[in-house]
Amino acid sequence: LASEHLEASCDIGRPTSELRAAFQTVDFGDLPEVWWYVPEECRQDITVQESRRLFAKEGRRESRRDFERRVDLFVAWLSQRQEKVIAIFAHADFFNCFLHRYFGEKEARYNDYWMKNCEVLQLELPEPLLPMAERVPSLPAAALADTEEKVQVHTPTPSRASHALEALRQDIAQQRPELTPTELRTLA
């Protein structure tokens, strides 16, 4: 859900099989082979080659409406998580839309905020998270209704990457006990 907005060829990812071969210590869980945007009507039995053909030959791009809906689905999934601290890695377009839609009313700077490469932001989601229809008037009620059916909460086992990040955090905490939790998260 947190993948880039498919607008340019650089937004097409590498197949999961290639990622697994290149990054053998990372657990990619049940990430599908084609994990980037593909039009809904083309998703069944999609191959890497076909997804690239749709983009290159047919000019299929992710519409702004589909992209915003995906950001909303991500927030719905995120709001169901039990964890108190969650790290999200994504691209600039995704964060720009996410920040605008869910933090722009509260903080004007997020209305058109473009994160720098590798920038870290610490945010707190409002509790309770307002339903999408209340927060996003442009989202039709019908889209909200079928959103509930499509969001599947999946609790993966912690990946090797999350274990490595926690080990790094513990090492830094031992070496620099004066750091606050926020400073520690920023360094790790």
Side-chain angles (χ1 to χ4, degrees):
L1 290 174
S3 62
E4 182 64 305
H5 183 198
L6 183 63
E7 297 180 300
S9 61
C10 64
D11 300 329
I12 294 177
R14 291 168 60 187
T16 305
S17 57
E18 286 182 22
L19 294 172
R20 283 190 175 108
F23 305 99
Q24 295 176 11
T25 60
V26 176
D27 179 5
F28 290 94
D30 59 356
L31 186 67
E33 186 71 358
V34 176
W35 50 265
W36 51 89
Y37 173 79
V38 173
E40 183 74 37
E41 67 275 10
C42 303
R43 288 188 188 154
Q44 187 172 347
D45 301 321
I46 191 70
T47 64
V48 172
Q49 295 76 16
E50 177 62 10
S51 72
R52 289 179 177 157
R53 188 194 68 75
L54 287 169
F55 178 85
K57 303 291 187 207
E58 294 186 22
R60 301 298 293 268
R61 307 294 191 270
E62 185 175 23
S63 71
R64 185 69 188 182
R65 181 178 172 272
D66 286 346
F67 177 56
E68 289 176 350
R69 185 162 188 264
R70 186 163 50 82
V71 170
D72 293 339
L73 287 170
F74 173 78
V75 171
W77 172 84
L78 188 63
S79 69
Q80 295 176 25
R81 303 300 303 164
Q82 299 299 312
E83 297 85 357
K84 298 291 183 196
V85 177
I86 300 175
I88 303 166
F89 298 86
H91 289 266
D93 284 359
F94 183 88
F95 277 122
N96 176 266
C97 183
F98 170 71
L99 292 168
H100 172 75
R101 291 173 79 76
Y102 290 91
F103 295 91
E105 289 177 23
K106 186 176 178 182
E107 291 188 52
R109 73 184 183 125
Y110 291 134
N111 280 320
D112 192 28
Y113 189 83
W114 292 94
M115 293 179 69
K116 295 173 184 67
N117 194 27
C118 298
E119 180 177 353
V120 175
L121 285 179
Q122 184 174 341
L123 302 166
E124 289 187 31
L125 289 177
E127 286 190 35
L129 190 63
L130 294 175
M132 286 182 273
E134 290 180 31
R135 291 195 61 80
V136 188
S138 63
L139 187 64
L144 181 61
D146 74 354
T147 294
E148 293 172 7
E149 296 170 12
K150 291 184 179 183
V151 173
Q152 296 178 349
V153 177
H154 167 66
T155 307
T157 57
S159 69
R160 288 183 225 162
S162 64
H163 287 295
L165 184 59
E166 181 57 31
L168 174 62
R169 194 176 295 122
Q170 289 175 8
D171 285 349
I172 294 171
Q174 286 177 350
Q175 294 170 11
R176 306 223 7 231
E178 75 279 2
L179 293 176
T180 66
T182 300
E183 293 168 327
L184 185 59
R185 279 193 298 272
T186 302
L187 285 173

